[in-house]
Amino acid sequence: MQLRHPRVALPALLGLGVLGGFGVATTSAAWTDDAHFTAQGSAGAVDLRGSSNGVDFTAADSTGTAVKLDAVAGLTPDNPTVTRTVHLWNASTVPLRLSWATAPKTLLDGCVEVEYQPFPAAPLAAGPDQPTGAAVTTATVTFRVADNASAATCSGKALGALEIVVQGSPA
Amino acid sequence: MTTMTRPRALAAVLAVAALLVGGARLASDATDPTTAAWTDDVHATTSVGLGTWQPSIGKCQPVDANLRPVDAPCSIVSVKGFVTGEGRPVGERRAQLRIKIDATQKNGVYYLLTVNLANSADAPANWVFQGGWFGGAGANLVAMQAPPSCTALPTATMLLPDWAPGEKDGVFLEVYEPRWSQQSDPSFCVRS
């Protein structure tokens, strides 16, 4: 084929784009197939579970099934810090990298500051059989009365429900 | 050798465009569900509540004669006495306060206080601190080499004598609004 005119050359160039587009689509599809294979290998394969006591683990996949932590109560300048811990178990068949999916830094109009313990850089090892050893870890959240929390603004304030979410993704 | 006519070229362009859109959609559909399938969340809930507390009235630090901190406990028990009963208008009033501290009395140990007078239990909301001063005859404060500025009011810094813990009713202090008529009353803080 000989291209003799720019208007004729344009479709040809676009044709190259189509090839490129198919290239992307094909690549994605291949990757997706792989992902779907793994995911189906588990609704199971990626399975992070939580617990308030390190013994009774549940999927805790939603607000309705969330791990219930003890209330954070009575924070004052004289009792300024309370820590809460979520125990995590990688019940997957693959190591998981952990991250905080929700992480508000302050609560109650700045009266309370929230600090999230960083997760280790190393992924949490897989342990699909039982929550022991390197397959378990903890996620710690510290609630602290802000230094500038005044009695007039902050005393007695409360927040009914706070949701904390940890996300696990294959390393 | 072949050539394309205009209608054929246009048809080719349209076909290419359709393929591009279809290809992009295919790629997008293929990618989206994968992301969701590759993570798992753990949700946890709690409630957060602050206790109740009163405004901080201030700090008490035991010091020696050179204002070097002394390791001993001290706290402010009360600062009160804003009710003067002199019937003066706002901006011209004087309050005669009593400051009571809780500490173990010891010779040569003084008490450096930083007090927010506005947080006194009986401080009127309309008390004019700006431009005022504190001190007064019988204030019984210890002179400081670097006296505080009156502009820091309602925060007042002062040095109480070593016998202060033994005063059952507290140490006497006068606080003045800016237009208090008796301008000769001495000031513990520096008025500028």
Side-chain angles (χ1 to χ4, degrees), chain A residues 84-99:
Chain A
R84 290 289 175 264
T85 298
V86 183
H87 297 263
L88 300 168
W89 168 29
N90 181 6
S92 313
T93 53
V94 293
L96 293 181
R97 201 171 298 285
L98 303 178
S99 62

Side-chain angles (χ1 to χ4, degrees), chain A residues 145-170:
Chain A
V145 177
D147 288 342
N148 60 354
S150 70
T153 306
C154 300
S155 177
K157 274 192 170 179
L159 180 66
L162 172 69
E163 185 167 9
I164 300 161
V165 181
V166 177
Q167 186 175 76
S169 54

Side-chain angles (χ1 to χ4, degrees), chain B residues 122-167:
Chain B
D122 57 5
N126 62 358
W127 188 272
V128 181
F129 287 103
Q130 190 66 39
W133 74 100
F134 63 96
N140 295 322
L141 304 181
V142 178
M144 297 170 68
Q145 284 187 332
S149 168
C150 299
T151 60
L153 282 169
T155 298
T157 300
M158 64 199 78
L159 191 60
L160 267 56
D162 54 3
W163 46 259
E167 287 293 295

Side-chain angles (χ1 to χ4, degrees), chain A residues 33-53:
Chain A
D33 286 344
D34 187 47
H36 276 296
F37 172 79
T38 304
Q40 286 171 358
S42 91
V46 179
D47 185 2
L48 182 64
R49 303 188 190 185
S51 165
S52 62
N53 58 11

Side-chain angles (χ1 to χ4, degrees), chain A residues 2 32 48 72 159 162-164 170, chain B residues 30 38 40 43-44 46 48-49:
Chain A
Q2 181 179 355
T32 301
L48 182 64
V72 176
L159 180 66
L162 172 69
E163 185 167 9
I164 300 161
Chain B
W38 267 94
D40 190 24
H43 295 242
T46 184
V48 180

Side-chain angles (χ1 to χ4, degrees), chain A residues 25-119:
Chain A
T26 303
T27 303
S28 296
W31 183 76
T32 301
D33 286 344
D34 187 47
H36 276 296
F37 172 79
T38 304
Q40 286 171 358
S42 91
V46 179
D47 185 2
L48 182 64
R49 303 188 190 185
S51 165
S52 62
N53 58 11
V55 176
D56 305 311
F57 285 88
T58 62
D61 284 331
S62 66
T63 305
T65 60
V67 173
K68 301 286 189 296
L69 301 176
D70 288 343
V72 176
L75 287 168
T76 66
D78 292 331
N79 177 34
T81 301
V82 169
T83 297
R84 290 289 175 264
T85 298
V86 183
H87 297 263
L88 300 168
W89 168 29
N90 181 6
S92 313
T93 53
V94 293
L96 293 181
R97 201 171 298 285
L98 303 178
S99 62
W100 296 101
T102 60
K105 295 288 178 58
T106 60
L107 302 171
L108 298 170
D109 300 325
C111 295
V112 175
E113 296 171 343
V114 191
E115 182 180 322
Y116 301 86
Q117 180 191 44
F119 290 109

